[in-house]
C-alpha cells in the first residue's frame, strides 16, 4: 500500500484510540515510521495504565473488517482496505526499546545488537541489559547514547552506514518540511490538472510558499492537451499579470517539457529561454534500451535551457518499473552541467528512489522537491518528497528550493550558463 494511503488510515485509527482515553504514549512504528514509499502492515505501540481497555477499543474499531487475534497486550485486526494492524501494549520502562525494535529495519537492529554485544550488553525489545539489569529502555535516545551513538532518525535506519556516522557524530542534519519554500511541479486545467492557476496559487499560499512553478505538459503529451508555444506563451502572459498584482507569492513561468523519443526537445530554444524554470521529463519511448534513454536524458541535462530533469526513473509504484537507465552517467552529466534532479513526491512516483537520491548527492548534484500535483488539494504531498529526501540523507543545503527566490533563481543553470543571466 502507498505511504499516503497508509497514513490516512493510520492517523484515523490513532485518533480513534486516543479518543477512548487512557493512552499515555502511542506511535506507529515499522516501515511507516521509516517513511518507506510502500507499507506492508502497521505496527502500533502504546503505553497505558489499562491496556485491556485499549485492546477492547481497538478490536471494536468500526473500520475493522476482521479481528485476527485479541489479547490483553497484543491484538491484530484487518481493516476494510486490507491493511493488517498490530497493536502492542508496552510497559513505559520498555517503550523506547519497543519503538526501536518494531521500527526496524531488521538489518539496522542486527547491527545494533552486535554493537551491544561488543560492549557486554544485550539489546532486545524490552531494553538494553547488562546481565539481568536494564540499563536503558524508556526512550530510544538513552539506548543509542548507551551504545555510544547519536539518536538516528528512523528514515536512516536501513543499515546503509548510518551507525558508523552516528558513532562519529557525522549524521546529516536532514531536511525538514518547514525548509521548503516552493513546489516546482504542478499542473492546471490548461492540461491534465483539475485546478486553475488561481486555485493552485491559493493552495500554495496556504502552505506559506514563496514561489511555485506551473509546469503544464508540452505538446507531445496529446492525451493531456499539452501546450504548443502559442498556448504556453498565453499562459505565461496570464502568469505575468498574476505576479504583477503582488500577492506575496511568485509564480514561475515554467513547463514540463517532454524529451522526445528521438532525443530532441518538444519546444524550441527561443521559447525555453523565456521561461523562469524548465523541467524536462520522459513520458514516451520508455521501452528503449538503457543506452538510448540515458543519452536522451544526458542531452537534455546538458541543454542550456533545461534546469531540471523531472521524475528521472519514470517508475510508477506497483505499476511500472523504472526505465533502464545508467544513473551514474546521468548524475555525472547533471553535476558537470549544473542541471538539477527532481525528487518527485507524488505518492505513486516517489522518484528518485531513496538510494538514487543519496547517489545524486554523492555525485554533487543539487536536487529540487516537488509534488507533481494535478489538483490544489495535493500540494501538502510535499511531505512525501521530504520523506524521500530524508531517506536519501539529504540536508536543506542539498535542495535548491529550500532557498529564497532570488537565491533559487541564481542557482539555476540558466542564470549562469544559460546565456542571459538575470
Ligand atoms: Zn510527468
Ligand atoms: Zn507532471
Amino acid at each position: 500500500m502507498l505511504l499516503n494511503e497508509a497514513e490516512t488510515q493510520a492517523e484515523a485509527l490513532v485518533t480513534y484510540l486516543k479518543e477512548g482515553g487512557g493512552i499515555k504514549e502511542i506511535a506507529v512504528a515499522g516501515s511507516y515510521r521509516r517513511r518507506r514509499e510502500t507499507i506492508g502492515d502497521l505496527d502500533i505501540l502504546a503505553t497505558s495504565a489499562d491496556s485491556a481497555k485499549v485492546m477492547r477499543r481497538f478490536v471494536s474499531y468500526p473500520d475493522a473488517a476482521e479481528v485476527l487475534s485479541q489479547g490483553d497486550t497484543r491484538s491484530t485486526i484487518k481493516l476494510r482496505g486490507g491493511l493488517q494492524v498490530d497493536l502492542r501494549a508496552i510497559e513505559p520502562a520498555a517503550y523506547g526499546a519497543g519503538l526501536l525494535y518494531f521500527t526496524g529495519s531488521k538489518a539496522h537492529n542486527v547491527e545494533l545488537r552486535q554493537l551491544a554485544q561488543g560492549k557486554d550488553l544485550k539489546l532486545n525489545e524490552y531494553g538494553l541489559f547488562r546481565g539481568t539489569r536494564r540499563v536503558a529502555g524508556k526512550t530510544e535516545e538513552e539506548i543509542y547514547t548507551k551504545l555510544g551513538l547519536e539518536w538516528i532518525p528512523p528514515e536512516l535506519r536501513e543499515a546503509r552506514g548510518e551507525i558508523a556516522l552516528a558513532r562519529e557524530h557525522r549524521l546529516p542534519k536532514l531536511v525538514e518540511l518547514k525548509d521548503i519554500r516552493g513546489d516546482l511541479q504542478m499542473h492546471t486545467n490548461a492540461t491534465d490538472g483539475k485546478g486553475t492557476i488561481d486555485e493552485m496559487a491559493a493552495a500554495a499560499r496556504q502552505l506559506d510558499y514563496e514561489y511555485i512553478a506551473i509546469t503544464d505538459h508540452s505538446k507531445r503529451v496529446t492525451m493531456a492537451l499539452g501546450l504548443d508555444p502559442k498556448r504556453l506563451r498565453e499562459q505565461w502572459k496570464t502568469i505575468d499579470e498574476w505576479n504583477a498584482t503582488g500577492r506575496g507569492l511568485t509564480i514561475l513561468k515554467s513547463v514540463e517539457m517532454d524529451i522526445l523519443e528521438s532525443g530532441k526537445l518538444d519546444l524550441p530554444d527561443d521559447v525555453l529561454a523565456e521561461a523562469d524554470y524548465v523541467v524536462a521529463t520522459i513520458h514516451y519511448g520508455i521501452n528503449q534500451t538503457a543506452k538510448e534513454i540515458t543519452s536522451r536524458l544526458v542531452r537534455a541535462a546538458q541543454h542550456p535551457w533545461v534546469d531540471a530533469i523531472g521524475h528521472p526513473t519514470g517508475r510508477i509504484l506497483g505499476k511500472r518499473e523504472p526505465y533502464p537507465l545508467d544513473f551514474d552517467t546521468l548524475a555525472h552529466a547533471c553535476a558537470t552541467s549544473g542541471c538539477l534532479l527532481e525528487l518527485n513526491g507524488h505518492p505513486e512516483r516517489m522518484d528518485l528512489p531513496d538510494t538514487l537520491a543519496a547517489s545524486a548527492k554523492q555525485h554533487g548534484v543539487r536536487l529540487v522537491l516537488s509534488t507533481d500535483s494535478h489538483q490544489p488539494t495535493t500540494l501538502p504531498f510535499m511531505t512525501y518528497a521530504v520523506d524521500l529526501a530524508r531517506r536519501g540523507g539529504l540536508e536543506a543545503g542539498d535542495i535548491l528550493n529550500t532557498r529564497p527566490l532570488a537565491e533559487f533563481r541564481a542557482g539555476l543553470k540558466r542564470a549562469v550558463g544559460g546565456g542571459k543571466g538575470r
Side-chain angles (χ1 to χ4, degrees), residues 16-257:
Y16 164 85
L17 288 172
K18 281 182 177 165
E19 281 167 1
I23 290 178
K24 286 200 202 94
E25 287 169 291
I26 185 162
V28 185
S31 53
Y32 178 85
R33 186 162 175 248
R34 302 200 313 277
R35 310 305 290 168
R36 283 194 53 151
E37 62 269 36
T38 55
I39 304 295
D41 48 25
L42 294 179
D43 295 294
I44 305 182
L45 309 182
T47 59
S48 165
D50 186 356
S51 55
K53 181 183 152 200
V54 175
M55 291 295 159
R56 282 197 301 276
R57 185 168 172 86
F58 177 64
V59 297
S60 40
Y61 185 48
D63 197 34
E66 206 182 331
V67 176
L68 300 176
S69 71
Q70 182 179 3
D72 283 351
T73 59
R74 181 182 171 186
S75 304
T76 305
I77 61 174
K78 193 170 211 168
L79 302 182
R80 283 184 217 287
L83 196 61
Q84 188 169 312
V85 189
D86 248 30
L87 175 64
R88 285 182 175 80
I90 305 222
E91 52 157 338
Y95 182 68
L99 197 53
L100 185 61
Y101 183 86
F102 289 106
T103 296
S105 65
K106 280 206 177 73
H108 177 83
N109 287 347
V110 165
E111 287 191 22
L112 287 183
R113 283 201 293 276
Q114 287 167 348
L115 189 61
Q117 280 164 13
K119 296 177 186 293
D120 272 335
L121 295 165
K122 187 165 179 266
L123 177 66
N124 59 30
E125 64 183 279
Y126 304 105
L128 184 66
F129 296 87
R130 186 173 301 282
T132 55
R133 192 171 65 90
R134 179 156 52 200
V135 297
K138 200 172 172 6
T139 66
E140 288 186 336
E141 284 83 352
E142 64 177 22
I143 296 171
Y144 279 112
T145 302
K146 282 264 166 28
L147 292 174
L149 304 173
E150 275 184 274
W151 178 80
I152 300 176
E155 295 93 329
L156 294 179
R157 299 181 194 171
E158 298 289 348
R160 295 174 184 160
E162 71 278 7
I163 290 175
L165 290 176
R167 189 187 296 127
E168 297 157 12
H169 295 273
R170 289 200 299 124
L171 283 173
K173 188 182 176 321
L174 299 179
V175 62
E176 295 176 37
L177 184 58
K178 65 175 171 53
D179 297 325
I180 305 301
R181 294 175 191 250
D183 191 332
L184 292 177
Q185 191 177 162
M186 67 186 69
H187 299 265
T188 72
N189 58 4
T191 59
D192 58 351
K194 291 201 178 78
T196 62
I197 292 174
D198 234 11
E199 287 163 348
M200 299 309 283
R205 291 177 65 193
Q206 289 286 316
L207 301 177
D208 280 330
Y209 282 154
E210 198 180 326
Y211 48 89
I212 56 170
I214 297 285
T215 58
D216 274 311
H217 289 289
S218 62
K219 64 184 192 301
R220 175 65 181 89
V221 190
T222 44
M223 259 175 15
L225 288 177
L227 305 177
D228 60 17
K230 182 164 176 289
R231 286 178 67 215
L232 187 57
R233 281 178 164 135
E234 279 165 17
Q235 186 187 60
W236 288 351
K237 189 161 168 278
T238 308
I239 289 174
D240 277 337
E241 286 159 11
W242 197 97
N243 284 333
T245 61
R247 278 180 269 190
L249 172 86
T250 297
I251 302 179
L252 299 172
K253 290 178 286 184
S254 186
V255 62
E256 180 181 4
M257 183 201 45

Side-chain angles (χ1 to χ4, degrees), residues 185 187 192 215 217 221 256 258 281-283 310-311 342 344 349 372 374:
Q185 191 177 162
H187 299 265
D192 58 351
T215 58
H217 289 289
V221 190
E256 180 181 4
D258 257 62
T281 55
I282 285 182
H283 295 104
H311 50 71
E342 179 189 71
N344 188 306
R349 288 194 177 272
D372 206 349
H374 287 68

Side-chain angles (χ1 to χ4, degrees), residues 256-269:
E256 180 181 4
M257 183 201 45
D258 257 62
I259 303 165
L260 303 176
E261 293 93 317
S262 64
K264 291 213 173 72
L265 303 182
D266 198 19
L267 290 166
D269 285 5

Side-chain angles (χ1 to χ4, degrees), residues 221-381:
V221 190
T222 44
M223 259 175 15
L225 288 177
L227 305 177
D228 60 17
K230 182 164 176 289
R231 286 178 67 215
L232 187 57
R233 281 178 164 135
E234 279 165 17
Q235 186 187 60
W236 288 351
K237 189 161 168 278
T238 308
I239 289 174
D240 277 337
E241 286 159 11
W242 197 97
N243 284 333
T245 61
R247 278 180 269 190
L249 172 86
T250 297
I251 302 179
L252 299 172
K253 290 178 286 184
S254 186
V255 62
E256 180 181 4
M257 183 201 45
D258 257 62
I259 303 165
L260 303 176
E261 293 93 317
S262 64
K264 291 213 173 72
L265 303 182
D266 198 19
L267 290 166
D269 285 5
D270 64 321
V271 176
L272 299 180
E274 286 169 33
D276 293 312
Y277 174 78
V278 170
V279 54
T281 55
I282 285 182
H283 295 104
Y284 296 92
I286 57 177
N287 294 323
Q288 291 178 351
T289 64
K291 201 171 163 217
E292 288 167 316
I293 289 184
T294 304
S295 100
R296 283 164 73 192
L297 290 168
V298 164
R299 270 180 68 183
Q302 290 170 338
H303 190 280
W305 302 119
V306 170
D307 298 290
I309 300 292
H311 50 71
T313 78
R315 73 170 177 178
I316 307 284
L317 292 168
K319 291 188 188 135
R320 191 202 294 156
E321 290 298 306
Y323 26 69
L325 165 67
D326 177 353
F327 183 75
D328 283 332
T329 300
L330 173 62
H332 180 73
C334 288
T336 49
S337 67
C339 188
L340 304 159
L341 284 176
E342 179 189 71
L343 284 192
N344 188 306
H346 192 293
E348 289 179 4
R349 288 194 177 272
M350 299 297 267
D351 187 6
L352 293 170
D354 52 12
T355 50
L356 295 186
S359 165
K361 177 179 168 140
Q362 293 303 318
H363 277 90
V365 180
R366 277 234 263 190
L367 295 113
V368 280
L369 268 51
S370 79
T371 62
D372 206 349
S373 281
H374 287 68
Q375 54 200 40
T377 51
T378 61
L379 288 188
F381 282 179

